[in-house]
Amino acid sequence: MQLKKDIVMSGIRPTGFLHLGNYFGAVRNYVRMQEEYQCFFMVADLHSLTTHPDTQDLRQHVSRVIAENIACGLDPDKVALYCQSHVRETAELYLYLNMLAYMGELEKTTTFKDKARLQPDNVNAGLLTYPVLMTADIILHRASLVPVGKDQEQHLEMARNFVKRFNHRYGEVFPEPAAFNFGEDLLKVPSLDGSGKMSKSENQLATLYLADDDEMIRKKVMKSKTDSGPLSPGTPMPDFIENLFLLMKLVSAPEVIDHFKGTYQACTIRYGDMKKQLAEDMVAFIGPIRERAERIRNDSSYLRQVMEQGAEKARASARETMLAVREAMGLNYY
Ligand code: TRP
């Protein structure tokens, strides 16, 4: 007997470009999950309206996100890859859940406070109920596993509270969703300037984007921070050098890493050579992804077909859940 697969659901913000940190921290995990779980991966275009009310660039961002995720190995035939705005049931469930969410808890949410501070002239109600919408996304498919980073943990905790409240008041309809990262710690991808990890907003020259061309990749890697090298054996490795080795570990062959580790220990390491090697290995890794993404992004009929196919799958699952929701809530008068 085939056991029913656990359901995985996650949302991807359609802002900015995917970078190496997103790839190793998130997308690569999605690609592995698609083999073992029933997966729903959604472009959170409605969420972006809470901070970016101007929709002019939205289409382009949505296309880019979809293209980049497919280029990284997400298979639209294996998962439901769809846009939030294409599944209208989301709005209905969001409305019901809003009656179960309290002002007090919403106002205390860290991301709400941060965003309210960043956009004091636009502290809209959607910003306040962001976690409610996110809950609707997840439980619309009765998903129990949610691959997200640390920054989303508070939202997930709120989702569990809303689910408990719903189930308690109207009957058991939803499983409680939990963060899920394939049983491993998320890989941190260090930035190239020796401080923190790669991120969308901070130093763009220290972040490798999947859309960077070969020359840009080389330039960024060659500019990364080094020093004149160890002078005596046993010198502890500075953070920024350790970071270069961490980056190598992501894309270079084990023999290559061993070689440079050996020269570090022997105090004969030439960081210029190491960076050249790292740059070429990064080019070999990112180049094909970038080219695939470009091809997909320029194929609007394929993109459209992917979105339609994804929306169909997501709607089928949403419809089923909403029947159960309306029935549990006693909203099925006919
Ligand atoms: N809030 C998430 C983020 O900022 C995106 C998101 C929207 C999401 N809906 C979701 C994540 C549902 C997981 C599940 O990254």
Side-chain angles (χ1 to χ4, degrees), residues 9-11 13 42 44 47 130 134 137-138 146 148 152:
M9 193 277 152
S10 197
R13 259 176 301 185
M42 177 199 84
H47 270 114
Y130 185 109
M134 178 162 156
D137 297 332
I138 299 167
V146 188
V148 283
Q152 299 296 313

Tab-separated table of all heavy atoms in Angstrom, residues 9-11 13 42 44 47 130 134 137-138 146 148 152, ligand 1:
chain	number	residue	atom	x	y	z
A	9	MET	N	4.923	22.732	2.082
A	9	MET	CA	4.491	23.975	1.440
A	9	MET	C	5.462	25.089	1.818
A	9	MET	O	5.860	25.199	2.970
A	9	MET	CB	3.089	24.336	1.940
A	9	MET	CG	2.387	25.416	1.140
A	9	MET	SD	2.870	27.059	1.656
A	9	MET	CE	2.638	27.962	0.152
A	10	SER	N	5.853	25.877	0.826
A	10	SER	CA	6.636	27.063	1.167
A	10	SER	C	6.370	28.183	0.175
A	10	SER	O	5.909	27.940	-0.944
A	10	SER	CB	8.133	26.759	1.232
A	10	SER	OG	8.785	27.802	1.932
A	11	GLY	N	6.634	29.391	0.620
A	11	GLY	CA	6.424	30.562	-0.220
A	11	GLY	C	7.745	31.257	-0.510
A	11	GLY	O	8.652	31.253	0.315
A	13	ARG	N	9.380	34.859	-1.807
A	13	ARG	CA	9.088	36.274	-2.090
A	13	ARG	C	9.596	36.672	-3.468
A	13	ARG	O	10.748	36.386	-3.802
A	13	ARG	CB	9.780	37.155	-1.052
A	13	ARG	CG	8.844	37.650	0.018
A	13	ARG	CD	9.606	38.418	1.051
A	13	ARG	NE	10.649	37.594	1.665
A	13	ARG	CZ	11.402	37.985	2.678
A	13	ARG	NH1	11.258	39.193	3.158
A	13	ARG	NH2	12.326	37.182	3.189
A	42	MET	N	5.105	28.257	-3.764
A	42	MET	CA	4.266	29.370	-4.190
A	42	MET	C	5.048	30.670	-4.263
A	42	MET	O	5.850	30.978	-3.384
A	42	MET	CB	3.157	29.492	-3.134
A	42	MET	CG	2.214	30.627	-3.325
A	42	MET	SD	1.354	30.965	-1.762
A	42	MET	CE	2.573	32.019	-0.970
A	44	ALA	N	4.978	34.335	-3.599
A	44	ALA	CA	4.126	35.133	-2.702
A	44	ALA	C	3.912	36.539	-3.258
A	44	ALA	O	4.362	37.525	-2.680
A	44	ALA	CB	4.749	35.170	-1.304
A	47	HIS	N	1.665	38.788	-0.845
A	47	HIS	CA	2.420	39.300	0.302
A	47	HIS	C	3.243	40.526	-0.073
A	47	HIS	O	3.420	41.433	0.730
A	47	HIS	CB	3.359	38.215	0.851
A	47	HIS	CG	2.733	37.367	1.908
A	47	HIS	ND1	2.483	36.031	1.725
A	47	HIS	CD2	2.308	37.648	3.151
A	47	HIS	CE1	1.930	35.540	2.823
A	47	HIS	NE2	1.818	36.498	3.698
A	130	TYR	N	-0.029	39.968	7.926
A	130	TYR	CA	0.901	39.174	7.101
A	130	TYR	C	0.964	37.709	7.588
A	130	TYR	O	0.855	36.774	6.777
A	130	TYR	CB	2.276	39.851	7.136
A	130	TYR	CG	3.336	39.255	6.252
A	130	TYR	CD1	3.785	39.922	5.113
A	130	TYR	CD2	3.934	38.028	6.550
A	130	TYR	CE1	4.779	39.397	4.306
A	130	TYR	CE2	4.914	37.492	5.752
A	130	TYR	CZ	5.340	38.174	4.635
A	130	TYR	OH	6.314	37.647	3.840
A	134	MET	N	0.009	34.198	5.515
A	134	MET	CA	0.982	33.107	5.393
A	134	MET	C	0.392	31.800	5.921
A	134	MET	O	0.590	30.730	5.336
A	134	MET	CB	2.265	33.498	6.137
A	134	MET	CG	3.327	32.455	6.120
A	134	MET	SD	4.945	33.156	6.529
A	134	MET	CE	5.740	31.674	7.139
A	137	ASP	N	-1.877	30.386	3.305
A	137	ASP	CA	-1.091	29.718	2.253
A	137	ASP	C	-0.780	28.272	2.622
A	137	ASP	O	-0.892	27.364	1.802
A	137	ASP	CB	0.270	30.404	2.058
A	137	ASP	CG	0.159	31.835	1.576
A	137	ASP	OD1	-0.843	32.147	0.908
A	137	ASP	OD2	1.080	32.628	1.877
A	138	ILE	N	-0.342	28.114	3.863
A	138	ILE	CA	0.146	26.797	4.304
A	138	ILE	C	-1.003	25.819	4.483
A	138	ILE	O	-0.992	24.706	3.946
A	138	ILE	CB	0.919	26.924	5.644
A	138	ILE	CG1	2.135	27.832	5.478
A	138	ILE	CG2	1.316	25.553	6.169
A	138	ILE	CD1	2.761	28.268	6.797
A	146	VAL	N	7.046	22.834	6.554
A	146	VAL	CA	7.254	24.137	5.935
A	146	VAL	C	8.743	24.495	5.940
A	146	VAL	O	9.278	24.897	6.968
A	146	VAL	CB	6.451	25.237	6.678
A	146	VAL	CG1	6.517	26.553	5.929
A	146	VAL	CG2	5.003	24.805	6.867
A	148	VAL	N	11.478	26.730	5.840
A	148	VAL	CA	11.752	28.168	5.916
A	148	VAL	C	12.993	28.418	6.760
A	148	VAL	O	13.435	27.550	7.510
A	148	VAL	CB	10.596	28.947	6.586
A	148	VAL	CG1	9.425	29.147	5.650
A	148	VAL	CG2	10.171	28.306	7.894
A	152	GLN	N	11.515	33.193	9.675
A	152	GLN	CA	10.085	32.905	9.541
A	152	GLN	C	9.539	32.067	10.696
A	152	GLN	O	8.368	31.684	10.693
A	152	GLN	CB	9.811	32.179	8.213
A	152	GLN	CG	10.194	32.971	6.988
A	152	GLN	CD	9.360	34.236	6.855
A	152	GLN	OE1	8.142	34.205	6.990
A	152	GLN	NE2	10.010	35.369	6.621
B	1	TRP	N1	6.875	35.048	4.500
B	1	TRP	C1	7.769	34.271	3.696
B	1	TRP	C2	9.075	35.070	3.488
B	1	TRP	O1	9.092	36.243	3.730
B	1	TRP	C3	7.170	33.950	2.356
B	1	TRP	C4	5.932	33.134	2.480
B	1	TRP	C5	4.662	33.501	2.136
B	1	TRP	C6	5.850	31.804	2.993
B	1	TRP	N2	3.802	32.497	2.378
B	1	TRP	C7	4.476	31.440	2.898
B	1	TRP	C8	6.789	30.897	3.508
B	1	TRP	C9	4.034	30.189	3.335
B	1	TRP	C10	6.349	29.646	3.922
B	1	TRP	C11	4.984	29.309	3.840
B	1	TRP	O2	10.052	34.496	3.082
